[in-house]
Amino acid sequence: MQMQLRASARVGCPRPAGHVASLRPGCPAFGARKAMVARADKKNDGTVSDDDCAYNLAADYCVIDEKGRKVPKRSLGEMEQDFLNALSSFYYEGKPAMSDEEFGLLKEELIWSGSTVAVLSSDEQKFLEATMAYTRGTPIMADEDYDLLKADLRNKSSIVTAQGPRCSIRSKKMYADSEPDYLRMVALNLPGVMAVLGVTFALDYATGFGVTNLIELPAPYGVVLLWGLLLPSLFVVAYTLTQVGFRDNLILKAACPSCGAEVFSYFGNVFTIAGARGQNVVECQSCKADLTFDEYKRIVVVAETSEVKQEKLAAAASKKAAAAAKKKVKVAA
């Protein structure tokens, strides 16, 4: 049986007439036969060969220009930049930089390449577009709106605002981003949960396993009592007990800008003792530097390095020794 082939937009991927590809472009021809490829009479002329595109199940698109030459492969960063430029041109300038088909293919290629830019939220994409526009010298939003958007994304622990330890030229301070430590925050609820479960088990035992008999009733009564009454009540009581002991708790973690060690800071009250709010100063256990955590900006700044602290301690010790020596001289006189 003969099979008619029609020209494909990507060389090396012949398709039967009337066939609609359901897989990602870049697949080989059907069966074990090599795909049809475009060859030239001259060598090293830049045309696509079967070594470039054949037997490529999930590789990049084999794009060729008008002369049949293979277009140089773009890096992932270049494709992400083109994606953001297309969004910025369409929404802010009103001039599409590419057609809908080209934009769809570019987005699909980014997703297949593992890029997170194509699956970002609208606020994250807006933030990246504003950052790129400001770098080009054509800002698309006011500085106040940009700072508010950045602070909102940082509070949501967005990956687009995470920059790691860095240094500010203006303030001459080292700082880094911080994020909530959800594991330790969940651990704060364990005392309340254990207390509620203990009381529930004690009540069940005291009533002759009356609670167990209730949740073992035939459906739907047992299911409704368990999931609609018992578990929500236990959650509310455990959460209330946690708020009594650790009211409005928040634990932030960050890499020390001075040495890179992981440091933590607790914000909130402990029973009747008022805890830190807004800013909290902690000491890095590795390099002994003083770090200032900001609860709202989600950053940590090096207040004093270990070298500065040692210099201050040495100056205080020498001053104390000089005062003691002066006092000794006066006593001897």
Side-chain angles (χ1 to χ4, degrees):
M1 182 178 68
Q2 294 182 352
M3 180 182 292
Q4 295 180 352
L5 298 177
R6 66 180 184 184
S8 174
R10 287 164 178 80
V11 177
C13 299
R15 298 179 293 179
H19 173 72
V20 178
S22 60
L23 298 177
R24 183 172 179 267
C27 59
F30 297 93
R33 298 177 59 187
K34 281 191 174 182
M36 294 180 61
V37 295
R39 295 183 179 275
D41 296 336
K42 297 181 180 180
K43 298 181 179 180
N44 301 327
D45 58 352
T47 54
V48 181
S49 64
D50 54 354
D51 296 333
D52 295 326
C53 296
Y55 303 110
N56 228 343
L57 292 177
D60 299 324
Y61 292 110
C62 301
V63 183
I64 59 176
D65 58 12
E66 297 178 355
K67 297 182 180 180
R69 300 177 183 272
K70 185 178 180 181
V71 177
K73 179 182 177 181
R74 293 182 298 172
S75 64
L76 182 61
E78 292 175 339
M79 291 190 293
E80 290 177 342
Q81 186 173 3
D82 291 343
F83 180 81
L84 294 175
N85 287 335
L87 289 176
S88 179
S89 299
F90 182 80
Y91 288 107
Y92 294 100
E93 300 177 6
K95 301 177 181 178
M98 59 181 66
S99 62
D100 294 341
E101 292 78 8
E102 292 175 338
F103 183 81
L105 290 175
L106 178 59
K107 184 176 182 179
E108 182 183 359
E109 179 65 19
L110 287 174
I111 295 175
W112 274 93
S113 300
S115 174
T116 58
V117 173
V119 293
L120 296 177
S121 64
S122 58
D123 289 340
E124 290 174 331
Q125 291 181 357
K126 184 177 180 180
F127 174 78
L128 292 179
E129 293 165 10
T131 303
M132 294 178 57
Y134 181 81
T135 305
R136 293 194 301 264
T138 56
I140 58 177
M141 69 171 57
D143 294 342
E144 295 78 9
D145 297 336
Y146 180 84
D147 293 337
L148 290 176
L149 179 60
K150 185 176 182 179
D152 181 57
L153 292 176
R154 183 169 289 168
N155 290 333
K156 296 178 181 178
S157 301
S158 175
I159 191 175
V160 298
T161 58
Q163 297 176 309
R166 52 203 183 274
C167 182
S168 174
I169 300 178
R170 293 181 179 178
S171 61
K172 298 181 181 179
K173 295 283 187 179
M174 294 183 294
Y175 62 101
D177 296 322
S178 62
E179 60 181 0
D181 190 346
Y182 294 106
L183 180 61
R184 284 175 168 79
M185 292 172 64
V186 170
L188 293 178
N189 295 273
L190 290 181
V193 173
M194 298 302 294
V196 171
L197 290 178
V199 172
T200 304
F201 292 150
L203 181 63
D204 186 31
Y205 181 77
T207 57
F209 302 101
V211 178
T212 303
N213 294 331
L214 286 177
I215 63 177
E216 288 181 352
L217 290 174
Y221 303 105
V223 176
V224 172
L225 289 174
L226 177 62
W227 294 99
L229 179 62
L230 181 60
L231 292 181
S233 301
L234 294 179
F235 173 78
V236 171
V237 175
Y239 178 78
T240 303
L241 291 177
T242 302
Q243 289 299 312
V244 170
F246 308 98
R247 185 173 182 80
D248 300 331
N249 62 83
L250 174 64
I251 301 178
L252 296 180
K253 65 177 180 179
C256 176
S258 183
C259 65
E262 195 171 35
V263 290
F264 306 90
S265 177
Y266 175 81
F267 293 92
N269 301 335
V270 180
F271 292 100
T272 58
I273 302 175
R277 285 297 180 188
Q279 292 185 348
N280 186 26
V281 179
V282 298
E283 183 182 70
C284 177
Q285 298 299 323
S286 179
C287 65
K288 306 301 179 182
D290 288 340
L291 308 176
T292 302
F293 278 83
D294 194 304
E295 179 183 6
Y296 305 108
K297 294 182 179 180
R298 300 292 173 89
I299 60 174
V300 54
V301 183
V302 178
E304 283 186 350
T305 61
S306 58
E307 293 80 4
V308 175
K309 293 176 63 178
Q310 290 177 1
E311 291 177 359
K312 288 185 176 182
L313 291 176
S318 62
K319 185 177 180 180
K320 185 177 180 180
K326 186 177 181 181
K327 184 177 180 180
K328 187 177 181 180
V329 171
K330 288 183 178 180
V331 171

